[in-house]
Amino acid sequence: MLKKLRQAWASQDVKTFAGYGAVALVFVTLIILAASPFATSFMQQWSRADVETRSKLVLNVTRDNLETLLSQDNSSAVKALLERIAEDEKVLAVGYCDERGNLRYPTKLMPAIFSCEKVARSDTDSFSSFHADGHDLLIGAFPVLSGRGHLVILNDLGFAKQRGAEIRRYFLAILAIILLATIIVATFVAVSFIRRWTLQIRHTLVSARSGQTVPAGSGPFEHEVRQLIRQLDLNRPGMEEDRTVWDASAVRRLMETDLAGTEVIVVSNREPYIHNRTAAGVDIQLPASGLVSALEPVMRACGGTWIAHGSGNADRDVVDANDHIAVPPDTPTYTLRRVWLSDEEQDEYYYGLANEGLWALCHIAFVRPTFRESDWQTYKRINERFADAIIKEAKTTTPIVLVQDYHFALLPRMIRNRLPGATVITFWHIPWPNAETFSICPWKEEIVQGMLGSSILGFHTQFHCNNFLETVDRFVESRIDREHASVTLGGHETLVRPYPISIEWPPAAMAHQKPVPECRAAVFARLGLSPECKLAVGVERFDYTKGIVDRMRAVDSFLTEHPEWKGRFVFYQAAAPTRSKLTSYRAVQEEALAEAAAVNAKHGSEGYNPIVLAVRHHEPHEVFELFRAADLCIVSSLHDGMNLVAKEFVAARDDGQGVLVLSSFAGASRELSEALIVNPYDANGMGATIERALSMPPADQGERMHLMRDLVRARNVYRWAGQMLLDANRLRKKQRILDLTEQEQKAHRWNMFSLT
Ligand code: F6P
């Protein structure tokens, strides 16, 4: 029983604990109550035996003397002797019953009603009970003078009764002590149970709010509390996507209300901060990456952990033992967890499968994709490594994991298998080609199945979503629900949704910008341009998908068709070197350098180059200064998921001026319809558009720019993240409703079972 009580205490099974406690208490009480009469009667018998022994002892000591005195008929001496015997505290009276049954020599206290008839006068010692004057008496009759008479000793048995009563009192006192001890123990137990329950309710509340799983049996009210919270949660109106003005504080509010307590983990190949060793010490670089510039402000707003490849040569020097570093460096709000790759792994996973394979496959830029088996094996291994990092970093069983881009097509399923409670939102930052194009990939089924481990799969445009659904339809056996745009594979449903990515509003790089005329003056001075000159800019990574060579050809066409602009027009191309290890990238860089030289040779003159190609990384404030100084910005991607440069240019122009020339093959063209939309493959058409842009009246520019600015302001990156997080929240709520219904059905079945 003690073992059972110990177990019940440990498992906080209050019913069992109280049940066993009560049984133990009743058991002990019954034993005491049952033992009490036995103990009393034992005591009485023992007292009587004691009295008998004493009486016999008295007789043995006095028999000879008494018989002598009786023989001598010495009445006074006999009387005196009997009086002495009667002095014993337990003796009430003594007398002598003679041959004829007469009582002689009775001592003082001999009860009047006593007569020798009342005792058995046998040849042996005998004892009998007698009640007189309120006393229980034990009468001992001892034959003397060879049985001719009997000495009678009347013992008062009151003391035996008294002893019995005392024993009963002792037993009752013990019982009272046990009851008191039980009350003290029960109070202590109740207080500690209540204390533990309070802690558990608090723990359950916190974990239930974060959607975390509380281990079964971790508290008697866990189930009820969880149910209640869920019901309250489900009834609470959430943030409304369309009525919300999306900014950093709205994302923070979302995380503090609808998603309170939810852990957010971002996974991307490119890290937001790169630490590099320089002669002057360690330098922190912000990479030229649309993905990073979109997600970084979101992470600043909602905190959490960002897991990425540590690619800087000083990255290892600045992390702690867990490969963590708090960022942003000036005001840390989230944790960057770095994952390490060897050079060989980078070659195969990043340069090989991701960039020579998937990048080329998904961008229709007519660069043939390369698929190597060794690259694929490494890609799988690195996806596993990032899955390990996620599992290690996750502090809860139900985090929201934001998987970024084509480097991690297999990761969503790996997370689903190892962390089934996670809400995995995968965002594919590049286009998704049509099913026929995708079909050339040797691992198409594995890639699609890997992506379908996501809870939500996002693309920039509806067009890319449709392409993906077509691809699933062609290559993976699954159920496609076109009405709800979802795919169910192996019982798991993935929503496929468009989330057009954007930039933060207002962009951080705008914080210290000077007024537009000052920016223009500074840039013009740096480039040595005269004030009446018109400036066009292009800002990109040096990537073959960006159509850099094509826009140079358009400049060539423009100056050929409109030679009057020679000397009055300059195109500045900022091109950040990227993936230069790859032949296709080196080729496009060389081609661009040659094309710029050719155009400059053809249309330039002494001190005038119509194309300035700046092959280096430009910091964000420098890029924004360029945008503010320019008359037009050319974004002529051959194919682009979204293109944030277009949106940044719009955000930079708070003066409402400037013209955006935008490729129809960039996702941004679906939103920024007030831009001048071009086909980058049509050099003459694009040349004519440049001329149209340069001649556009300021009022026209203003109208277009204001409409585009309104759109980018409202559809900023916080809305992009907010929409995904709201959808994730809806999904989590839906799951909770399903769980709740299932639990209620279980409870109902159990009730029915109990009733029958
Ligand atoms: O478009 C996909 C993307 O990940 C962008 O987000 C980013 O601009 C670019 O590729 C970054 O490339 P990388 O990380 O290889 O330099």
Side-chain angles (χ1 to χ4, degrees):
M1 182 176 284
L2 270 177
K3 199 174 158 201
K4 292 267 182 202
L5 277 173
R6 260 207 311 272
Q7 282 170 356
W9 169 261
S11 62
Q12 300 178 63
D13 181 354
V14 73
K15 280 189 208 146
T16 310
F17 194 85
Y20 277 103
V23 167
L25 184 65
V26 168
F27 188 65
V28 172
T29 309
L30 286 179
I31 287 182
I32 290 173
L33 291 177
S36 167
F38 285 114
T40 309
S41 108
F42 171 77
M43 181 52 72
Q44 283 172 348
Q45 278 171 24
W46 181 70
S47 303
R48 183 182 163 133
D50 179 36
V51 167
E52 285 177 9
T53 311
R54 286 174 78 124
S55 300
K56 280 181 188 169
L57 203 68
V58 167
L59 179 75
N60 288 342
V61 174
T62 57
R63 182 189 293 269
D64 289 347
N65 195 8
L66 177 66
E67 285 187 337
T68 308
L69 294 174
L70 284 172
S71 312
Q72 293 168 357
D73 211 8
N74 188 343
S75 308
S76 58
V78 170
K79 215 167 166 47
L81 178 62
L82 296 192
E83 286 294 352
R84 271 207 309 280
I85 294 172
E87 278 171 12
D88 186 296
E89 57 171 336
K90 294 198 175 81
V91 174
L92 178 70
V94 182
Y96 177 66
C97 291
D98 65 14
E99 268 174 303
R100 286 183 297 277
N102 295 325
L103 176 66
R104 300 180 59 195
Y105 318 118
T107 55
K108 280 193 289 284
L109 297 177
M110 179 64 77
I113 61 160
F114 178 77
S115 82
C116 289
E117 311 296 311
K118 298 201 161 88
V119 292
R121 280 165 291 131
S122 61
D123 293 341
T124 55
D125 301 347
S126 66
F127 290 91
S128 56
S129 300
F130 182 70
H131 189 80
D133 300 341
H135 291 281
D136 283 325
L137 302 174
L138 178 71
I139 304 172
F142 305 100
V144 289
L145 300 174
S146 309
R148 275 180 283 130
H150 285 80
L151 174 69
V152 286
I153 301 176
L154 279 68
N155 293 285
D156 190 350
L157 281 183
F159 83 96
K161 230 178 167 182
Q162 208 178 320
R163 279 186 187 173
E166 262 170 33
I167 287 285
R168 261 200 309 279
R169 273 201 300 281
Y170 281 133
F171 270 79
L172 286 176
I174 290 171
L175 200 59
I177 289 170
I178 289 178
L179 283 175
L180 191 69
T182 308
I183 290 169
I184 293 170
V185 170
T187 313
F188 167 76
V189 168
V191 167
S192 38
F193 268 128
I194 289 170
R195 225 180 250 156
R196 286 158 77 186
W197 289 342
T198 313
L199 282 176
Q200 275 153 0
I201 288 172
R202 185 193 295 253
H203 175 61
T204 307
L205 281 170
V206 171
S207 59
R209 289 296 284 117
S210 65
Q212 233 184 301
T213 311
V214 174
S218 61
F221 305 124
E222 179 241 319
H223 180 68
E224 286 78 358
V225 173
R226 186 174 282 281
Q227 298 267 84
L228 251 173
I229 287 176
R230 284 179 179 177
Q231 272 157 1
L232 289 173
D233 249 13
L234 295 173
N235 293 336
R236 193 161 47 82
M239 260 169 86
E240 283 184 51
E241 190 180 312
D242 293 337
R243 293 205 193 156
T244 304
V245 175
W246 286 103
D247 57 10
S249 66
V251 174
R252 256 195 303 272
R253 212 165 53 245
L254 175 63
M255 295 307 302
E256 285 161 9
T257 54
D258 298 43
L259 289 164
T262 307
E263 187 185 8
V264 175
I265 300 175
V266 166
V267 194
S268 72
N269 174 71
R270 185 62 65 200
E271 57 182 339
Y273 295 93
I274 306 176
H275 289 81
N276 279 320
R277 239 171 275 119
T278 63
V282 173
D283 172 56
I284 302 175
Q285 187 199 329
L286 285 90
S289 159
L291 177 156
V292 169
S293 51
L295 271 172
E296 217 277 329
V298 175
M299 282 302 274
R300 280 181 194 241
C302 67
T305 306
W306 187 329
I307 303 174
H309 167 217
S311 56
N313 61 20
D315 274 358
R316 283 178 196 265
D317 306 344
V318 294
V319 293
D320 66 12
N322 297 313
D323 300 323
H324 287 167
I325 178 168
V327 288
D330 41 349
T331 44
T333 49
Y334 65 94
T335 303
L336 170 60
R337 154 75 199 271
R338 286 175 169 149
V339 174
W340 312 113
L341 307 178
S342 68
D343 287 348
E344 197 190 353
E345 285 169 338
Q346 268 214 77
D347 285 348
E348 295 181 339
Y349 139 81
Y350 171 76
Y351 288 109
L353 200 282
N355 286 313
E356 286 190 286
L358 294 177
W359 179 273
L361 176 70
C362 292
H363 288 93
I364 318 276
F366 305 98
V367 170
R368 185 192 155 120
T370 306
F371 299 115
R372 295 181 203 93
E373 179 61 30
S374 55
D375 292 353
W376 172 241
Q377 293 307 333
T378 307
Y379 183 85
K380 287 200 278 191
R381 215 174 49 246
I382 301 305
N383 271 240
E384 279 289 1
R385 187 172 304 164
F386 275 82
D388 291 344
I390 293 166
I391 303 301
K392 197 161 170 228
E393 291 304 321
K395 296 176 193 74
T396 61
T397 53
T398 52
I400 290 184
V401 186
L402 298 161
V403 177
Q404 305 302 309
D405 236 348
Y406 58 100
H407 310 91
F408 298 118
L410 305 179
L411 191 52
R413 180 143 311 275
M414 292 172 180
I415 303 170
R416 173 77 41 232
N417 292 343
R418 296 174 64 183
L419 205 59
T423 305
V424 182
I425 307 178
T426 302
F427 193 78
W428 197 258
H429 288 256
I430 60 178
W432 189 271
N434 62 49
E436 201 169 5
T437 304
F438 194 75
S439 74
I440 66 169
C441 176
W443 309 288
K444 52 185 172 292
E445 290 92 354
E446 287 100 315
I447 287 177
V448 171
Q449 282 165 2
M451 292 169 75
L452 289 176
S454 317
S455 317
I456 300 174
L457 177 56
F459 295 94
H460 290 297
T461 65
Q462 185 60 52
F463 187 65
H464 297 151
C465 293
N466 296 346
N467 278 350
F468 180 78
L469 290 175
E470 285 312 317
T471 310
V472 174
D473 204 10
R474 283 274 289 275
F475 305 116
V476 177
E477 217 164 288
S478 58
R479 189 161 52 81
I480 300 179
D481 180 341
R482 291 192 189 266
E483 198 183 341
H484 296 108
S486 75
V487 181
T488 304
L489 177 64
H492 171 74
E493 188 181 34
T494 303
L495 305 180
V496 181
R497 297 275 185 279
Y499 300 101
I501 203 168
S502 193
I503 57 168
E504 65 177 322
W505 189 281
M510 279 293 281
H512 304 293
Q513 291 296 331
K514 298 208 168 75
V516 166
E518 285 179 41
C519 290
R520 192 172 171 90
V523 170
F524 272 47
R526 247 193 335 268
L527 297 178
L529 306 180
S530 62
E532 63 278 6
C533 192
K534 296 281 184 183
L535 176 66
V537 294
V539 179
E540 4 266 333
R541 288 181 306 107
F542 221 147
D543 195 296
Y544 59 78
T545 61
K546 300 296 177 186
I548 294 173
V549 177
D550 302 81
R551 71 189 67 158
M552 292 178 180
R553 290 192 188 124
V555 170
D556 179 18
S557 165
F558 161 64
L559 291 176
T560 308
E561 294 299 316
H562 301 279
E564 68 278 13
W565 281 100
K566 284 185 189 175
R568 291 196 296 128
F569 170 83
V570 166
F571 171 57
Y572 182 92
Q573 176 66 53
T578 178
R579 306 172 191 169
S580 311
K581 254 191 172 185
L582 301 181
T583 323
S584 48
Y585 282 78
R586 282 199 307 273
V588 80
Q589 288 170 25
E590 279 160 21
E591 199 185 347
L593 286 168
E595 185 67 27
V599 174
N600 286 340
K602 185 173 167 190
H603 302 288
S605 54
E606 184 66 38
Y608 169 64
N609 278 327
I611 296 181
V612 179
L613 179 53
V615 186
R616 65 175 173 86
H617 177 78
H618 289 63
E619 289 298 334
H621 69 269
E622 198 184 349
V623 170
F624 272 71
E625 189 187 44
L626 266 176
F627 286 150
R628 289 166 71 77
D631 296 282
L632 71 146
C633 173
I634 306 177
V635 176
S636 58
S637 311
L638 303 180
H639 202 188
D640 221 330
M642 173 54 67
N643 194 293
L644 295 183
V645 169
K647 294 188 175 179
E648 282 173 347
F649 174 67
V650 169
R653 298 314 297 256
D654 52 6
D655 62 333
Q657 291 297 290
V659 181
L660 175 64
V661 175
L662 178 60
S663 163
S664 63
F665 306 121
S669 66
R670 310 293 149 112
E671 293 182 289
L672 302 176
S673 45
E674 290 74 26
L676 298 183
I677 307 295
V678 292
N679 171 3
Y681 290 92
D682 175 7
N684 291 345
M686 204 166 21
T689 307
I690 291 174
E691 202 279 330
R692 192 179 152 206
L694 293 175
S695 327
M696 189 181 286
D700 199 357
Q701 289 184 37
E703 268 172 30
R704 287 168 183 265
M705 190 52 88
H706 281 127
L707 283 172
M708 290 193 287
R709 283 177 64 79
D710 284 348
L711 185 129
V712 178
R713 182 188 294 114
R715 297 193 186 182
N716 55 45
V717 75
Y718 300 109
R719 176 178 178 266
W720 172 74
Q723 275 186 322
M724 286 192 286
L725 292 172
L726 278 176
D727 284 350
N729 187 39
R730 257 174 238 131
L731 217 57
R732 287 159 84 94
K733 271 192 175 180
K734 206 169 134 189
Q735 189 55 48
R736 276 182 240 156
I737 291 172
L738 290 178
D739 290 350
L740 211 60
T741 315
E742 202 177 300
Q743 281 164 14
E744 273 160 11
Q745 279 170 354
K746 256 192 212 160
H748 179 68
R749 278 200 295 275
W750 174 247
N751 287 344
M752 297 303 285
F753 174 73
S754 321
L755 284 174
T756 51

